[in-house]
Amino acid sequence: MRKYLTLFTGLLAVIVATSALRAAGTATAPAVPASSPAAELSVSDAVILGVVEGITEFLPISSTGHLIVASRFLGLESEQTLAGRDGEPLWYKKPSPKLPAGAPLTLKLAADTYTVVIQFGAIAAVALLYWQQLFSMLRGLLGRDPAGLRLLIIIMVAFMPAAVIGLLAHDWIDAHLFSVPVVIAAQVAGAGLMFYAEAWRKKRVPAKAAAAAGVTLTLPQAAGIGALQCFAMWPGMSRSMTTIVGGYFCGLDPRRSAEFSFLLGFVTLSAATVFKSYKSGAAMIQVFGWSHVLLGAVVAAITAALAVRFLIAWLTRHGLAMFAWYRLVLAAVLAVLLARGFL
């Protein structure tokens, strides 16, 4: 119990300490001329972002929300236009007939891309831990494993709502929802949903873990979990949280809800990472370099594997309540830091 509390206290301590260091550095650092090139991501920044991504990706506390806050603390939210080694501007969206002026790449956009791309580490962690289920789905696709094929169909049905809405609303979400106040509101709203889901589970399925373990998802239930996953596009809400809660409402016990969330996350995160890499990955590499991306992904993989193991053990014994309390404490800390000008 103590080591788990230490993990979450450590997350809050990192947030507070980083904010203080960033504030002190801002007060003494000379202003950077607008014409000077943006600084590359440091090794320490890459490690910090990798740790934050790995720990928070599968815990129901929102990796996107934590990464937005971490990027803010690390000073990676500059809207300064970036240029390549040849002095030519780097593009997020190149000029086109629909967008004649184009959309130049900024440090913030590069950092946002970076935090999505290093999800490859978290994806690798799930692949290593749940390779048997993934291999079963592959065999099912080849017509050699009926159970694997059914699991694959259920996963894809759950994936489709977020895929469609994500493609349609991606640019609007990037432009309007990536801010600390939005994250604070989502943390509070998500905590409320978790308290409700936990109370609902204990009331509807008291002490029936064995029976719940035998529940098989139907296609409509999978679609319902997929619909809930769409709320995770609100930064700070948490994809892991919405899918675990969805599993609760479908009658899955906490362990199976989490494991279904991991498998669905493997597909969802893979799609999001490939999509973001295609859109602006090459330009981001020019800014931060391959070594920093690989470092962040490796750190994310190690910490994600540890977080997955921790989450399964914790949910089996205690449920979601502690994570909901953590979200409320985090929201309060962020609100104080925001009010005092640290964010």
Side-chain angles (χ1 to χ4, degrees):
M1 175 73 174
R2 183 175 299 175
K3 65 181 180 180
Y4 296 145
L5 292 177
T6 301
L7 171 66
F8 287 98
T9 303
L11 275 174
L12 289 174
V14 168
I15 290 172
V16 175
T18 307
S19 67
L21 289 171
R22 182 60 57 184
T26 302
T28 57
V32 179
S35 60
S36 61
E40 289 190 355
L41 196 72
S42 68
V43 171
S44 61
D45 289 349
V47 171
I48 289 171
L49 292 175
V51 169
V52 172
E53 159 61 24
I55 291 177
T56 61
E57 183 58 62
F58 296 109
L59 298 186
I61 55 179
S62 176
S63 61
T64 302
H66 281 75
L67 288 167
I68 289 172
V69 173
S71 296
R72 185 74 170 266
F73 285 150
L74 296 173
L76 300 175
E77 290 208 331
S78 170
E79 296 290 351
Q80 176 186 341
T81 299
L82 300 178
R85 299 180 186 277
D86 56 1
E88 293 297 319
L90 299 175
W91 295 100
Y92 179 65
K93 292 182 179 179
K94 292 185 177 182
S96 66
K98 292 185 178 180
L99 191 65
L105 185 68
T106 64
L107 183 60
K108 181 181 185 305
L109 286 171
D112 290 345
T113 302
Y114 178 86
T115 58
V116 173
V117 171
I118 62 172
Q119 288 177 343
F120 272 124
I123 294 166
V126 169
L128 290 173
L129 293 173
Y130 291 93
W131 66 269
Q132 290 178 314
Q133 290 90 331
L134 295 173
F135 184 63
S136 175
M137 287 191 285
L138 178 60
R139 285 175 53 84
L141 187 63
L142 298 175
R144 299 177 182 175
D145 189 335
L149 178 60
R150 176 171 176 75
L151 177 59
L152 176 62
I153 292 172
I154 288 173
I155 292 290
M156 294 309 299
V157 168
F159 165 69
M160 288 309 297
V164 173
I165 295 179
L167 284 173
L168 295 176
H170 176 268
D171 291 340
W172 186 90
I173 291 170
D174 279 357
H176 296 92
L177 296 185
F178 277 69
S179 68
V180 175
V182 169
V183 170
I184 294 173
Q187 288 288 337
V188 174
L193 177 59
M194 292 164 75
F195 281 129
Y196 173 78
E198 195 63 42
W200 186 92
R201 179 182 70 86
K202 291 178 178 178
K203 181 179 179 181
R204 297 296 182 93
V205 200
K208 291 185 180 178
V215 171
T216 300
L217 289 176
T218 64
L219 295 184
Q221 287 174 329
I225 294 175
L228 272 177
Q229 184 178 221
C230 294
F231 286 99
M233 295 177 194
W234 177 3
M237 184 58 76
S238 173
R239 185 206 59 79
S240 175
M241 182 274 289
T242 56
T243 51
I244 290 173
V245 166
Y248 275 20
F249 292 150
C250 291
L252 299 181
D253 62 62
R255 181 186 185 91
R256 291 200 66 212
S257 292
E259 290 180 341
F260 183 78
S261 173
F262 300 152
L263 293 174
L264 177 56
F266 178 86
V267 176
T268 304
L269 296 177
S270 296
T273 305
V274 169
F275 178 72
K276 196 76 171 182
S277 299
Y278 171 77
K279 287 195 69 175
S280 50
M284 181 269 297
I285 291 295
Q286 292 186 57
V287 179
F288 295 146
W290 273 109
S291 61
H292 292 93
V293 176
L294 293 175
L295 175 61
V298 168
V299 172
I302 295 170
T303 52
L306 295 174
V308 165
R309 291 300 194 191
F310 159 71
L311 180 60
I312 289 292
W314 183 270
L315 286 181
T316 301
R317 295 178 176 86
H318 308 288
L320 287 168
M322 184 192 71
F323 299 102
W325 285 114
Y326 169 82
R327 292 171 70 106
L328 292 178
V329 172
L330 176 63
V333 170
L334 293 178
V336 170
L337 293 175
L338 187 63
R340 297 196 171 209
F342 290 114
L343 287 173

